[in-house]
Amino acid sequence: MGSNSEFLNIKDVSTAFKIKGKYYDAISHINLEVHHDEILAIVGESGCGKSTLATTIMGLHDPSETKITGKVDFEGTDLLQLDENGYNQFRGAKIGMIFQDPLSALNPLKRIEDQISEVMNYHTKFTAEQKHQRVLELLDQVGIVNPKRTAHQFPHELSGGMRQRVIIAIAIACKPDLIIADEPTTALDVTIQAQILDVLRDIQKENHAGIILITHDLGVVAETADRVAVMYAGQIVEEGSAEQIFDQPKHPYTRSLLRSMPQLDKENDDLYVIKGNVPSLQKMPTDGDRFAPRIPWLPDDAHEAEPSMHEVDDGHIVRCTCYKSFTFPDEQQGGATA
Amino acid sequence: MSLVEIKDLKVHYPIRSGFWNRITDSVKAVDGISFNIEAGETYGLVGESGSGKSTTGKSVVGLEKVTSGSVMYKGKDITKKSNRKSLDYNHDVQMIFQDSLSSLNPRKRIEDIIAEPLRNFEHLSKDEEKLRVLQLLDIVGLDADALYKYPHQFSGGQRQRIGVARAVATNPKLIIADEPVSALDLSVQAQVLNFMKKIQREFGISYLFISHDLGVVRHMCNNIAIMNRGRLVEIGTRDDIYNHPMHIYTKRLLAAIPETNVSQRAEHRAQRLAVEEVYREQQDKYYDKDGQAYPLVQITPTHSVALPEDLVEQLKHEGEVQA
Amino acid sequence: MWKTILRRILIMIPEVIILSILVFLLAKAMPGDPFTGSINPRSDPAQIHHLMKLNGLYDPWYQQYWNWVVHLFHGNLGNSYQYQEPVTRLIGSRAVNTLWLALFTTILTYCFALPMGMFAAKHEGKLPDSIIRVYTYVTYCIPFFVILVIGVWIFGYVLGWFPTTGSISSTANPGIQTIGSRFYHILLPGILGALFGTVNVVQYLRSEVIDAKRSDYVRTARSKGVPSKDIYRHHIFRNSLLPIAAFAGYSITGLLNGSLFTETVFSYPGMGLLFINSISYRDYTVITALVLIYGILNLLGTLLSDIILSIVDPRIRIQ
Amino acid sequence: GCSNNSSSESSDAAVKLSTAYNNKAATNKNATKNGTLKLAIVNNAPFQGITDPILASNAEDAEAFAPGGQNNLFNVDKNYKIIDGGLANQKLDRKAKTATITIRKDAKWSNGSPVTAKDVEYAYEVLGNKETTSQQYSSDFEDIEGMTEYHKGKADTISGITFPDGETGKVAVIHFKQMAPSMKFSGNSYIWGSIEPYEYIKDVPIAKLASSEQIRKNPIFVGPYKLDKVVEGESTSWSPNKFYYGKKAQIGHITLNVVSMNNIDKALQSKKYDTVAPSVAGALGGTDYKNLKNLKGYSKVGQPALGYSYFAFNLGHYDTKTGKNVADPNKKMANKSLRQAMMYALNVDQVSKKFGNGIKWRANTLLPPVFNKYYDKSAKGYPLNIKKANKLLDDAGYKKRNGSKWRSDPKGKKLVIYFGAMTSSATTEATYQDYLQQWHKVGLDVKYTSGKPVEMNSFYDTLQKPEQNKMDIWLGAWSLSSEPSQSQLYGDTAAFNMGHFTTAKNTKLINQMNDNGAWNDKTRAKTFKEWQEYMNNQAGVVGEQFNYAWQPVNNRVKGFDLSPANDEFYSNLTLTSSKLK
Amino acid sequence: MEENLNRHSRISAADLERLSKEAQQEATPSSAKIIWSEFKADKPAMVALVIVVAFILFVMIASLFIDTPKMMETNIMNYNTAPGTNGFILGADTGGRSIAQQLIVGSRNSIGIAIGLTIISSTFGICWGLVSGYFNGYIDWGMQRVYDFMMMLPMTMMIIVLVTIIRNYNAVTLTLIFSIFYWEGTSRLIRSRTLSESEKDYVAAAKTSGTSNFKIIFKEIMPNISSLIIVDTTLSFAENIGVETGLSYLGFGLPIHTPSLGTLIANANDPNNITQYWWTWLPAALLIIILCLSISYIGQVVRRSADASQRQGAEA
Ligand SMILES: Nc1ncnc2c1ncn2[C@@H]1O[C@H](COP(=O)(O)OP(=O)(O)OP(=O)(O)O)[C@@H](O)[C@H]1O
Ligand SMILES: Nc1ncnc2c1ncn2[C@@H]1O[C@H](COP(=O)(O)OP(=O)(O)OP(=O)(O)O)[C@@H](O)[C@H]1O
Ligand SMILES: [Mg+2]
Ligand SMILES: [Mg+2]
């Protein structure tokens, strides 16, 4: 380990949910890779399929309700081909997952210690004593001040930040290569968010793990991510290093997002608003550029009929060629955007 | 005279315990805060979760039973129910809620939701009322189609705009906006913030804008109060707070805001850790022995900070406090 | 914790007092008196008046109530007119039977209901689930006594597998035979009661398990790599069984209610049958005592449930 | 001693039953000792477990402890007349006004201790004690010298009962203020027919006797069987009492179990019991008869029951001051013709046939045929005769006026008659309906009191008021003592005379039943017959139905005889096989 | 305000009609329509609905043509006549009374009692629960003590005692007696939902809009728990049909000459009837089962249509 090699390779993965007997793609044809020692951030609006991607990797979907295609190549194994038992060798051991809602993600009736050591029951041969030690060690590692006390407590006795730390402890208990963190800080205060992100980063350094960080907060991405993938409507629209994305955003969607953030300098101006809404799953356009309806001023021929990924820079990929001719309306006219 | 003057407001929730289930203690959700909201301004109230922001907001709008202190409006203390009644207080002061879905009755049509305050305070004919609702919808950028639909048929941003429409229906003087955008996506958030600003411009409304997002607050507010553990630790203009924070808590809060400037993230982090460090070391200094903030001390005409006396002295020496 | 329980019990006291007055008055308001029934040419009305007077039945109600309360504090619920023995002893001997049956029914109910509820929830929406749900619907709609009457008829008389009256065989020798015979006598009523009682538990458990299945902490457990059977065992079942355990206390009310029917059908000498008989005998002391006891048992049932809940659920555990 | 007597010759029942089941088929079979005779006590409630016949107020307890002999003092003949040969002999001395009771020498309690004269006396103490819980005391006992004082608590003992040989001797003499002919019969209200084990229970206060261990848990008896175990309220089991003075018990075990009325047919059909515990009033009804009459392996046994059902009319009130019933000529039902017409309108014969299934028949008088000597077989009673009913009404002026559907009273006022009935089985309530319909047929507007049959307690609550106007006619039933005097039911001072029917003639006849002349059995019988005729004619109270006390008996049982003269009932029973047939 | 709005909005009085028409076209179907479409999509539910409605109508109308006193006249010649003989379609009971006719009148009585009981107890229970759940403080505290007390009462026993006290009860009094005891369960359910409902922001919003408490309870909160109310009411209706039967069985229900499903089933009291004269009780028992099943099935469908995620019917 320790090399900077890629170890997770997501190839052409689509996940479709069954709604009233029909399947609808929540994510379609996703390609991504994750390397050791890096934090890959996935950003996008609510409902664009971020969590679906994460749960697809974790194999948490009910096979009778979903249809998954493609390949998730994890250290040479295609996870999607595994059965439940096979998956369990990876979950918890090689892949850890952190969920958004820290209260409901913990079993309310079990002590923190039991919940952490449970993961070790299945992936290690530790004795009870070793497990206990490891639990304390982990709690310490995620920044809990009094591990002994906390280990003995129940989830409801902890604050949100503490609970999230416990969940992180569970995720890293077996030193996984990959940690998937699905909006780990959305429910938390900024100060705690900063601490949690620090913990994540420290862990990544220590374990040489790769982290997929899912969030919709561009600030968090900018602070933590090495690489960023921007998702829109189930597809990746742009991917690149953090600098590339923030300093030279290409895709109209990325640029719109950045523009709608309240900025320090332009205090009293109106914010940029993306026209229209994210289409719902059932009304998702199946061909063409899915973002096209939201930048109607761009001529139709600016979009590719079947959008493909274009490498614009080293490791900087953009979906569709529309970025080339894209400008904001006010950049031409200087009018209001509402 | 300010539009609303909040004086030494306290809201304590009783904690019952012991054998007879008597009140043995209380959660001091709001513990003696004072500030004024001027007509036409947006007043920001910032703080961590649980610091008492919502409770303050609810007290101002009259939803919460106040333990002590007063909220003066038009010379009357509206913490008393009778005064609220006689003033038709809620005709003038309205509220926008954080959770747009739960704040709209799922069983009512949009028309009825928006018309609700109208029906209670203004007695219009059916057509007048409908026209008014349509105009309100138009102002918040929704089509007439919305009239007979139900809340769940709208997106979060649209719902929040319906909430705004309801709040402005009676042309209030003040709207309490309790985290109106924190549940929304970035692009939708922008939409709602724009509308709030537009309406303020057009109707001359004041906002008490409650949020924990310092970025949004900076975008929206002229005056800001920082709340911590039920007390105010710092109030001042936007410039005072963002460029000259005095209280250690404010500093820490500001340092924790993620920076979108990728190239400087290392420095930013170092700076944040430094502030954290200071915070850990000097925490005791800024809070009294019960862990509560000190009373506010005016430092400039616009800027007040909850500092212990010795620190104030020290600052005076350094000439930072203007006499 | 103990303080809370004690406080709960203290709060119960006024309720019990109100109930006792209510019941006392209602019992007195019933037409007739304990001696109306014993109307045969051999008993002399003068003697009956004498007995009425002796028992203070001509006193004003508050005086009777007061006497009753005073006796109550001496652990004396009065004498049964019909049975001519202290009510405490009379009810004591019947209570044992009722509680035996109730306990056995409860155990059986859970023996039936737990596997059924879990099985149904585990295979939600599939055939076994549908079968179990149809079973619960149908059982739910049949009046309890119809189940009992048909059950007795088939298994007691036609097939002759079970005794049909009483609580114990008259020929059983003390010791193991007695226990065996007692058990044999509550077997059929227990099973029938359980078949009926199962319905509620199954429905409740099923929805609990389904909720648990969809919960976030189960997703967390899956992402830990916990095999699905262990998830069921350690997380889903455990979490959904706890509220069910508490359900046991609440179900006391149902059991007691059912005892009126079961004991009537099986001529099983428990408190329920005693009540029905005492009503027609106007045995006031027994009626008041029984209603009061049932009321207190109901109270204790809810208290028990609350205690169980607060013990097993750390979220509401009382320090 | 088997009795071949059959008393059914006098009944109008459709079926004829023998009182005894001799089991000829089994006579040559040897009796077996290692079987258990299983008897069912037919009752909806558990029995109360009071072994003492003085304290028990119900039939179930008597049945449950019958194998213990009920501590009965005397043997009787088929007419319930006291005869010698039992536990004790009784000698009445009319001149000295004494009854001398001599206990047989070898009489012992089931714990081996001898029966003494004090045991005879103690029964009176228990009965008459001021604090007793017994309901059996009646003013008749105050004819015993000193009883009044004892009952009021003024005396510690009853001065009128003496022991010529001392308390532990065998002779007790009772001194009366006056003697009554009914003393010759068992069940009379002057001489108590059972004893109390004085030595065994003397330490228990009489007020607490009923709940004492000695009475409930470990009672002792003088009969052929001793109690092995009692399961409270449910069952008793018995084995032979080796101290029994008379014929030795022949069955190893006897058990008696309570079985509810609903279940008894099924229980017998599934051969859980040999038979039901005999009851003088009859444990089984007509429906049971229908279900069980052809039961394989069982034979039917029966005799007319010691009881009857009756219609009574509300004719007056009870004067609480004088303690007398007073007839009131203004009562709605005071018109004899009206009463007679109502009775003629009924088709009791048909109803009995249909629902009685042969074991019930119309009562032609107020004395059931079980009282062989007194029963007036020839009495006509009130068979269905609509014509006569209409004529009676028309003649008496009860006419339909103004085109009304209903008859009005002679004065032309509206006549609504309220009929009181107790809630009961569906069959019985169907019968009530039928009666109402019959009355409607003759134009009488008869309605249920309060619209429906009322529950037993409310029913008697109403009737026992000194004066009531809610029920004009009602249907009740009496189960009787084995001594047929009528003063307790129809005497002018009787509180149970709830219709308050009194006439000078009635009072005279009832007094005659127990006056000096009545010592002559023939004269007494004549008085009874005369009284029955008079009552029939007056129709103040009219018998509804008589019935058989019948029961099926399993064919393995030998020596089963219900006759009252069978004084050794349980000793005479034998089993011919250890399993039910 | 008005000019203010007119200034900032493009919409004026002139557009009113056109716009409301437009809105009308986009209007969402009412919940009644949603429930109806749910029934149309679920065949068994439709069957259940038809059974229940048709049966109730049939019983109500048919019983008008039956002379009850005459029907209840005994005709001892027809004692327990078997079905199909003597013109008795379903046989006769002990009193020779037609079972078929009793079934009709009895169903009407039982359903009447059940409806009456459901209406009285639910209305009361719902109001009690709403008020108790909405207000906190002493009102709620006091109302909760009443719950505790009701919870303690042994229901069947109390009903038996009351029924013995009231000598002249009929179907109406019986319904009232039942109602005293059967509102508690519903009420508790409503209270707990009201409690969570009144914490939602729309209630706060209504308060700040100046809406009175009374209006908030009945116009804001109640519609939101209407699906719970409907479901609970249907289910308790099904349950209430069974209430009277049990008491009749114990002998404390309706008098014999007032036929009801309960008195009919109580014929099963006598084991002889169970086998020999099965027609005296079995039809009534089957009827109850079918009725209860249908009603609770309908309840399920209503519950489902209230929960958008489970709907099977077309999204109209
Ligand atoms: N089990 C499911 N069945 C059907 N549709 C689903 C399911 N899970 C998710 N979806 C739909 O798939 C789409 C993507 O959902 P997903 O949760 O992955 O979004 P997300 O990007 O994580 O959003 P958020 O930021 O709100 O968490 C959404 O439209 C959602 O409604
Ligand atoms: N009804 C109540 N009873 C008891 N304590 C309460 C109640 N409502 C609020 N509190 C407590 O009062 C404090 C302040 O709550 P408040 O809701 O005002 O915080 P907030 O600043 O709005 O937090 P957030 O950002 O999470 O909304 C918290 O500690 C909270 O737990
Ligand atoms: Mg998500
Ligand atoms: Mg808040």
Side-chain angles (χ1 to χ4, degrees), chain D residues 287 290-291 354-355 426-427, chain E residues 75-83 85-86 88 90-97 99 267 270 272-273 276-280:
Chain D
T287 321
K290 190 174 167 206
N291 290 326
K354 191 70 196 177
F355 293 141
T427 325
Chain E
N75 184 349
I76 48 179
M77 287 304 121
N78 292 322
Y79 174 86
N80 283 341
T81 308
T85 47
N86 286 359
F88 289 107
L90 287 173
D93 68 0
T94 329
R97 297 167 285 228
I99 294 287
N267 283 329
D270 184 344
N272 296 313
N273 283 349
Q276 266 170 312
Y277 311 123
W278 51 266
W279 57 87
T280 54

Side-chain angles (χ1 to χ4, degrees), chain C residues 66-313:
Chain C
W66 180 245
N67 291 340
W68 181 72
V69 170
V70 169
H71 281 132
L72 196 64
F73 274 97
H74 294 101
N76 176 1
L77 283 163
N79 273 307
S80 155
Y81 300 106
Q82 184 65 18
Y83 291 83
Q84 299 188 25
E85 60 175 330
V87 172
T88 33
R89 211 167 74 193
L90 176 65
I91 294 183
S93 65
R94 301 295 158 84
V96 175
N97 288 338
T98 300
L99 295 182
W100 257 112
L101 181 59
L103 187 71
F104 180 65
T105 311
T106 311
I107 294 173
L108 270 187
T109 304
Y110 284 86
C111 288
F112 293 156
L114 296 188
M116 266 204 265
M118 291 186 196
F119 195 73
K122 201 164 173 178
H123 303 275
E124 186 196 346
K126 307 218 177 76
L127 188 66
D129 183 29
S130 311
I131 292 173
I132 290 174
R133 291 184 72 182
V134 168
Y135 161 79
T136 58
Y137 279 145
V138 174
T139 326
Y140 188 78
C141 295
I142 306 179
F144 182 38
F145 74 91
V146 175
I147 295 183
L148 291 174
V149 169
I150 295 177
V152 166
W153 170 58
I154 295 178
F155 299 105
Y157 295 117
V158 177
L159 299 173
W161 292 347
F162 298 99
T164 50
T165 57
S167 69
I168 187 169
S169 148
S170 49
T171 50
N173 296 322
I176 189 83
Q177 250 187 18
T178 304
I179 296 172
S181 171
R182 274 191 181 282
F183 182 69
Y184 189 37
H185 277 75
I186 56 175
L187 206 53
L188 185 58
I191 291 172
L192 295 176
L195 280 180
F196 189 74
T198 302
V199 178
N200 282 322
V201 186
V202 167
Q203 287 180 342
Y204 190 44
L205 182 64
R206 182 177 170 277
S207 69
E208 280 287 326
V209 171
I210 288 175
D211 282 353
K213 238 164 78 172
R214 305 205 169 120
S215 69
D216 279 0
Y217 59 80
V218 163
R219 195 179 56 174
T220 309
R222 289 185 67 196
S223 72
K224 288 183 196 173
V226 182
S228 112
K229 71 174 196 316
D230 283 4
I231 289 187
Y232 270 99
R233 206 179 312 149
H234 299 322
H235 293 277
I236 297 180
F237 289 158
R238 194 162 164 247
N239 283 32
S240 34
L241 279 180
L242 296 181
I244 291 287
F247 205 66
Y250 298 122
S251 67
I252 284 183
T253 317
L255 278 174
L256 291 179
N257 220 5
S259 72
L260 294 175
F261 295 91
T262 320
E263 291 175 7
T264 308
V265 172
F266 282 87
S267 308
Y268 183 83
M271 293 194 284
L273 187 59
L274 182 62
F275 177 77
I276 301 278
N277 295 148
S278 302
I279 283 281
S280 42
Y281 294 144
R282 296 296 186 269
D283 208 342
Y284 298 139
T285 43
V286 182
I287 295 171
T288 24
L290 277 175
V291 176
L292 210 55
I293 288 173
Y294 270 45
I296 292 173
L297 285 177
N298 282 346
L299 268 185
L300 291 181
T302 43
L303 182 65
L304 180 74
S305 283
D306 293 353
I307 294 173
I308 294 179
L309 257 188
S310 70
I311 289 174
V312 297
D313 193 336

Side-chain angles (χ1 to χ4, degrees), chain D residues 229-279:
Chain D
K229 198 177 87 180
V230 46
V231 179
E232 230 172 293
E234 293 179 45
S235 63
T236 55
S237 53
W238 304 81
S239 59
N241 171 14
K242 64 177 185 217
F243 296 108
Y244 183 53
Y245 62 88
K247 184 172 177 184
K248 287 285 169 245
Q250 303 175 62
I251 299 175
H253 287 284
I254 298 179
T255 62
L256 291 109
N257 273 281
V258 173
V259 177
S260 76
M261 289 176 191
N262 281 333
N263 290 337
I264 187 64
D265 292 358
K266 293 284 160 200
L268 286 167
Q269 278 163 2
S270 45
K271 308 218 160 169
K272 292 197 181 227
Y273 299 96
D274 286 291
T275 182
V276 301
S279 145

Side-chain angles (χ1 to χ4, degrees), chain A residues 189, chain B residues 13-14 27-30 47-56 64 98 178-179 210 212:
Chain A
D189 279 329
Chain B
Y13 296 110
V27 178
K28 294 177 176 160
V30 176
E48 274 182 301
S49 170
S51 56
K53 309 182 293 291
S54 299
T55 312
T56 310
E64 200 75 58
Q98 168 172 9
D178 188 358
E179 317 220 17
I210 298 172
H212 62 255

Side-chain angles (χ1 to χ4, degrees), chain C residues 49-61:
Chain C
H49 277 292
H50 175 74
L51 289 174
M52 292 275 287
K53 213 180 271 164
L54 201 69
N55 286 299
L57 289 170
Y58 292 131
D59 293 343
W61 73 267

Side-chain angles (χ1 to χ4, degrees), chain A residues 45-46 191 198 222-223 225 271, chain B residues 48 185 187 194 265 268 272:
Chain A
E45 271 174 292
S46 176
T191 46
D198 284 345
E223 287 254 321
L271 298 166
Chain B
E48 274 182 301
D185 266 341
S187 56
N194 286 353
R265 67 177 171 199
H268 183 238
R272 194 183 79 231

